[in-house]
């Protein structure tokens, strides 16, 4: 491009095109300004700067306002960008650098060159506290004296000046910029957050949720950003670096990126049950950030008080009503599909607290899977909702895939009737608690607790599986070893984390061998006894307020605390199976496809064994037979497995015969 050429800004173009033309005109004007100062270069009079117009603001002028640049600092940015984008300007800078007193053979300008050639220079422009270096608008590195170091435009700033959509390469994979969206309807909380963030750079919106659910907090944060018309710069505390110097640098890059992207930083923490390294790093980052920010799962007020420079707005985010989540999930579907989906979603949303984003996926997947068949849609929606809310609990307990029904149980009629009553309560709970108003009348005791007592192997876990199958709910076995801690207060934290995760799914919780945790409270002799009793009391309270079913199994009912037993709605005693029950159990253990020989089931039924022992014997006999030559499960193999089981139980084998 000839140095005398000056592109004209054409009206009617889009912003990007107008910005590029304006920037090219600025480079042309800068070339003329430099050429006039060179003795061997002829130049015409400097052209007037191109007009912007009231309807157009170039990126360079926006950058000048964003970071408070002086006229000289603005021209330094223009010069550094020009040598990257304008070949004629780069050649001219090379000529000027060669003619300078220091005679440097380079096309990369130095700060000393800028001081000599640009208008209104000031020395402190190179200070690390001034915008050029503080916000990394230019890169000024090297071993030379600061004035002799070459200056380069930062890549992200160059993209901004040219109107190219980009993000700082050092933040890619660490943070993501989410464009502003239109979220309806606006809520009062969203407007409150938007007003707080719009008041100044030091504003911090600290969001929390009673159960630590992140999705309602994200929805509220997005709604607040939509009210502001701002993008969101999202990151997670667990991705933060550990080194304090790196955190300070990351904070500076985030602040700059937020300014360049017209965004507000949104920082997510995991559920703050206790102080963690990630939380400490998040607090350090927040102390360095200068722009407004939103924190999700915010730390406790005592920890936030360290941020004295911040104006903090704390908000507890409520659950989005099921009706509003349903409306959001159905948006975009035809009227017929929406009506069919609404009927299928209604019972599922009364049981499962599915976030709005997941609910949209459930609706789409259920329609695709069932072809919108109303007969298939309801079960599909229930199953998908059930899977969508189990994530938090999967990491804290063992999920049992329930394949047992009531018809598979071998138990006295009175026991089966009790188990069916428990399943019926789970199935009809929405009607009783919601439609009939029992939940509003008394918020305590909305869940159910059941105690299954009996010897090991009498079918307690099988019964829990049957209830879960009948109610179409997940069943989780709680590992007491991971819950009970010798450290004071840790057991309560573990239980709190467990129940908070379970509340979302409404799953059935199975505490095996509960007497280890719910035994008789001890006489207080020291602080450990006192805290052990506090933990038991805390657990009793959580069981009462839990909206789902808690099943506790024990081999020693007498070992349980009486105060605990008074709070149990259902107590089911599993008796030792009699001979008739044992024969039924023996016959049930061998599948229809198993090659069964002549087996004396009546003789086997005389053995004093529980269902668990019988299942183990049948499986061992099958493997013994598979390793043999007959290809059938014969009585001899079963007898061998019986002898092994009695040996394991340290009981003499009475023999098996007709």
């Amino acid at each position: 491009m000839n140095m005398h050429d000056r592109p004209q800004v054409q009206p009617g173009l889009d912003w990007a095109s107008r910005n590029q033309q304006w920037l090219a005109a600025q480079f042309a004007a800068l070339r003329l300004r430099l050429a006039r100062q060179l003795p061997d270069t002829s130049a015409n009079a400097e052209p007037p700067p191109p007009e912007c117009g009231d309807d157009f603001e170039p990126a360079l002028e926006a950058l000048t306002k964003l970071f408070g640049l002086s006229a000289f600092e603005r021209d330094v940015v223009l010069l550094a960008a020009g040598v990257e984008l304008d070949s004629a300007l780069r050649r001219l800078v090379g000529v000027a650098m060669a003619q300078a007193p220091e005679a440097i053979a380079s096309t990369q300008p130095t700060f000393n060159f800028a001081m000599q050639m640009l208008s209104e220079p000031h020395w402190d422009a190179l200070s690390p506290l001034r915008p050029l270096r503080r916000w990394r608008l230019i890169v000024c590195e090297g071993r030379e004296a600061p004035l002799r170091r070459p200056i380069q435009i930062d890549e992200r700033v160059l993209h901004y000046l040219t109107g190219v959509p980009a993000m700082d390469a050092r933040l890619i994979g660490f943070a993501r910029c989410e464009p502003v969206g239109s979220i309806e309807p606006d809520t009062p909380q969203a407007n409150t957050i938007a007003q707080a963030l719009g008041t100044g750079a030091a504003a911090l919106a600290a969001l929390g949720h009673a159960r630590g659910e992140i999705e309602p907090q994200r929805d509220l944060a997005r709604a607040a950003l939509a009210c502001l018309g701002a993008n969101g710069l999202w990151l997670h505390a667990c991705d933060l670096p550990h080194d304090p110097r790196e955190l300070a640098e990351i904070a500076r890059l985030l602040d700059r990126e937020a300014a360049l992207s017209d965004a507000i930083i949104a920082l997510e923490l995991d559920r703050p049950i206790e102080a963690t390294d990630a939380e400490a790093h998040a607090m350090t980052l927040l102390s360095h950030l200068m722009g407004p920010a939103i924190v999700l799962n915010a730390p406790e007020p005592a920890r936030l008080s360290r941020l004295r420079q911040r104006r903090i707005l704390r908000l507890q985010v409520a659950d989005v009503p099921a009706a509003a989540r349903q409306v959001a999930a159905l948006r975009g579907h035809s009227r017929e599909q929406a009506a069919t989906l609404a009927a299928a979603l209604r019972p599922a949303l009364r049981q499962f607290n599915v976030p709005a984003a997941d609910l949209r996926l459930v609706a789409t997947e259920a329609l695709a899977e069932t072809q919108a068949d109303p007969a298939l849609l309801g079960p599909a929606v229930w199953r998908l909702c059930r899977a969508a809310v189990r994530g938090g609990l999967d990491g804290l307990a063992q999920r049992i895939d329930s394949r047992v029904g009531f018809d598979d149980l071998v138990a006295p009629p009175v026991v089966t009737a009790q188990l069916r009553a428990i399943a019926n309560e789970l199935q009809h709970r929405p009607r009783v608690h919601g439609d009939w108003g029992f939940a509003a009348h008394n918020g305590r005791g909305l869940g159910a607790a059941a105690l299954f007592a009996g010897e090991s192997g009498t079918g307690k876990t099988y019964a829990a599986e049957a209830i879960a199958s009948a109610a179409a709910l997940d069943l989780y076995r709680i590992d007491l070893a991971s819950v009970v801690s010798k450290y004071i207060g840790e057991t309560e934290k573990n239980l709190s984390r467990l129940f908070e995760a379970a509340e979302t799914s409404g799953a059935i919780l199975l505490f095996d061998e509960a007497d280890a945790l719910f035994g008789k409270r001890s006489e207080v002799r020291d602080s450990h006894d006192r805290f052990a009793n506090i933990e038991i009391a805390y657990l009793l309270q959580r069981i009462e307020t839990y909206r789902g079913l808690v099943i506790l199994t024990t081999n020693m009912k007498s070992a349980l605390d009486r105060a605990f037993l008074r709070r149990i709605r259902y107590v089911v005693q599993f008796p030792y199976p009699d001979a008739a029950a044992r024969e039924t159990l023996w016959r049930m253990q061998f599948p229809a496809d198993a090659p069964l020989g002549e087996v004396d089931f009546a003789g086997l039924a005389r053995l004093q064994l529980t269902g668990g022992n019988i299942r183990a014997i049948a499986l061992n006999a099958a493997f013994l037979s598979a390793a043999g030559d007959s290809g059938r499960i014969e009585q001899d193999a079963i007898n061998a497995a019986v002898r092994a089981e009695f040996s394991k139980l340290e009981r003499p084998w009475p023999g098996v015969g007709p």
Side-chain angles (χ1 to χ4, degrees):
M1 180 183 295
N2 188 282
M3 63 189 302
H4 299 287
D5 294 339
R6 177 187 171 207
Q8 299 295 317
V9 176
Q10 300 292 330
L13 299 178
D14 59 34
W15 179 89
S17 299
R18 294 182 68 181
N19 180 72
Q20 290 180 10
Q21 287 194 7
W22 183 91
L23 191 60
Q26 288 286 321
F27 293 152
L30 181 59
R31 287 199 311 271
L32 291 175
R33 289 167 57 190
L34 297 180
R36 290 176 59 190
Q37 302 180 57
L38 298 180
D40 298 333
T41 305
S42 60
N44 294 333
E46 180 178 341
E51 297 291 336
C52 295
D54 295 336
D55 63 334
F56 169 65
E57 182 180 44
L60 178 59
E61 301 305 331
L63 185 81
T64 302
K65 293 179 182 178
L66 275 175
F67 298 104
L69 303 182
S70 67
F72 172 67
E73 289 166 337
R74 171 196 179 277
D75 284 349
V76 169
V77 172
L78 181 65
L79 174 64
V83 297
E84 296 291 339
L85 299 175
D86 190 296
S87 59
L89 179 60
R90 183 165 56 253
R91 288 193 298 270
L92 187 62
V93 168
V95 172
M97 291 282 290
Q99 296 179 7
E102 57 267 24
I104 300 175
S106 172
T107 58
Q108 202 69 44
T110 63
F111 187 77
N112 193 37
F113 174 85
M115 290 282 293
Q116 294 173 3
M117 305 296 287
L118 301 179
S119 304
E120 303 179 38
H122 52 94
W123 289 100
D124 66 337
L126 192 59
S127 167
L129 300 180
R130 290 292 299 173
L132 288 180
R133 294 182 63 190
R134 179 182 184 182
W135 296 114
R136 304 291 194 267
L137 304 183
I138 62 169
V139 180
C140 184
E141 298 176 350
R143 296 183 178 181
E144 301 89 349
L147 289 177
R148 295 174 59 85
R149 293 175 187 170
I151 56 176
Q152 292 179 290
I153 190 77
D154 182 88
E155 181 183 0
R156 174 67 180 95
V157 177
L158 184 63
H159 288 149
Y160 178 83
L161 293 179
T162 55
V164 175
M167 185 174 182
D168 195 307
R170 289 160 289 190
L171 296 178
I172 294 176
F174 171 78
R176 60 182 175 83
C177 191
E178 184 177 287
V180 60
S182 56
I183 298 185
E184 299 178 356
D186 290 341
T187 65
Q189 283 189 323
N191 291 322
T192 300
I193 296 172
Q195 291 173 5
L197 296 178
T199 57
L204 176 69
L207 309 185
H209 188 275
R211 296 187 303 276
E213 291 184 19
I214 199 68
E215 201 60 42
Q217 299 177 64
R218 287 175 182 156
D219 290 342
L220 180 58
R222 290 187 178 106
L225 294 175
C227 292
L228 279 171
N231 302 317
L233 192 59
W234 294 80
L235 62 151
H236 200 286
C238 66
D239 297 326
L240 294 175
H242 296 181
D243 183 74
R245 293 174 63 90
E246 289 185 56
L247 279 171
E249 180 63 20
I250 286 292
R252 189 179 320 212
L253 293 175
L254 287 169
D255 271 329
R256 191 186 73 172
E257 185 63 38
L260 296 178
S261 302
D262 191 18
I264 288 178
I265 297 167
L267 174 62
E268 293 186 14
L269 280 75
D270 290 321
R271 175 64 178 153
I273 297 297
E274 55 184 323
T276 61
D277 289 342
E279 183 181 296
H281 302 150
M283 293 296 297
T284 302
L285 179 76
L286 290 172
S287 68
H288 288 296
L289 288 174
M290 299 184 65
I294 304 174
V295 181
L296 285 67
N297 271 339
E300 297 174 356
R303 297 181 184 131
L304 285 175
S305 64
R306 292 170 45 197
L307 307 174
R308 294 183 178 87
Q309 81 280 13
R310 290 281 188 177
R311 296 191 305 276
I312 300 175
L313 170 68
R314 286 189 59 85
L315 284 176
Q316 194 73 3
V317 181
D319 287 325
V320 179
R325 281 181 280 136
Q326 179 173 300
V327 169
L330 299 182
R331 192 175 292 126
H333 294 284
S334 67
R335 181 176 298 180
E336 293 181 359
Q337 286 182 339
T340 307
L341 275 170
L345 284 170
R346 198 170 296 115
L349 290 181
R350 299 175 79 171
Q351 175 63 39
F352 306 111
N353 191 14
V354 186
D358 292 336
L359 202 57
R360 286 190 289 271
L361 296 176
V362 166
T364 303
E365 188 173 346
L367 283 174
E369 181 180 310
T370 64
Q371 302 298 315
D373 185 344
L376 302 176
L377 195 59
V381 165
W382 183 280
R383 174 174 47 79
L384 292 170
C385 286
R386 172 179 165 183
V389 296
R390 67 167 54 127
L393 200 53
D394 270 344
L396 301 172
Q398 176 195 1
R399 178 158 47 91
I400 299 176
D401 187 11
S402 304
R403 300 180 180 178
V404 178
F406 286 121
D407 293 339
D408 300 314
L409 297 180
V410 179
V414 63
V415 172
T416 304
Q418 287 178 292
L419 299 177
R420 289 186 182 275
I422 298 173
N424 287 337
E425 175 172 335
L426 293 177
Q427 292 171 307
H428 299 294
R429 180 173 49 193
R431 174 184 293 182
V432 174
H433 288 172
D435 298 343
W436 293 359
F438 275 77
H441 179 69
N442 183 7
R444 291 179 62 84
L446 297 182
L451 175 67
F452 291 176
E455 292 190 34
S456 179
T458 52
K460 300 185 293 295
T461 302
Y462 259 46
E465 291 187 45
I467 293 173
S469 296
L473 295 174
D474 284 334
L475 173 66
Y476 284 88
R477 177 189 283 120
I478 312 303
D479 180 12
L480 291 177
S482 65
V483 173
V484 179
S485 174
K486 65 179 180 180
Y487 298 105
I488 291 175
E490 285 297 314
T491 301
E492 285 181 85
K493 292 177 182 178
N494 294 337
L495 290 170
S496 175
R497 188 182 296 113
L498 176 70
F499 277 99
E500 285 170 359
E503 280 289 350
T504 301
S505 65
I508 299 173
L509 304 182
L510 174 65
F511 288 85
D512 252 339
E513 299 181 3
D515 42 279
L517 185 60
F518 305 95
K520 294 180 179 179
R521 280 178 278 195
S522 61
E523 179 184 349
V524 177
R525 297 186 181 89
D526 55 27
S527 61
H528 285 83
D529 290 338
R530 180 167 58 85
F531 276 100
N533 290 343
I534 290 174
E535 290 167 353
I536 294 171
Y538 174 78
L539 179 60
L540 295 176
Q541 175 191 357
R542 291 309 300 256
I543 289 176
E544 279 191 330
T545 57
Y546 179 54
R547 68 184 184 93
L549 171 65
V550 177
I551 298 177
L552 307 111
T553 71
T554 179
N555 301 336
M556 297 180 294
K557 179 182 172 183
S558 59
L560 295 177
D561 192 316
R562 286 192 173 276
F564 170 71
L565 288 174
R566 285 196 298 269
R567 304 190 190 189
I568 300 296
R569 297 257 313 275
Y570 299 95
V571 177
V572 183
Q573 186 71 43
F574 287 77
Y576 203 95
D578 58 17
R582 291 195 295 269
E583 182 171 350
T584 303
L585 286 168
W586 275 109
R587 294 182 182 276
M588 290 175 59
Q589 301 314 308
F590 299 97
D593 294 336
L596 194 62
E598 294 294 328
V599 177
D600 181 12
F601 287 111
L604 291 171
R606 290 195 291 270
L607 298 174
Q608 297 294 318
L609 294 168
T610 64
N613 302 136
I614 294 172
R615 281 189 291 274
I617 292 170
L619 187 61
N620 289 339
F623 279 108
L624 288 173
S625 300
D629 298 329
S630 66
R632 294 168 61 85
I633 304 174
E634 301 288 356
Q635 182 73 46
D636 289 343
I638 296 176
N639 289 347
V642 168
R643 281 193 292 270
E645 187 71 14
F646 271 85
S647 176
K648 182 183 74 175
L649 298 173
E650 297 182 349
R651 291 165 50 186
W653 180 55
V656 180

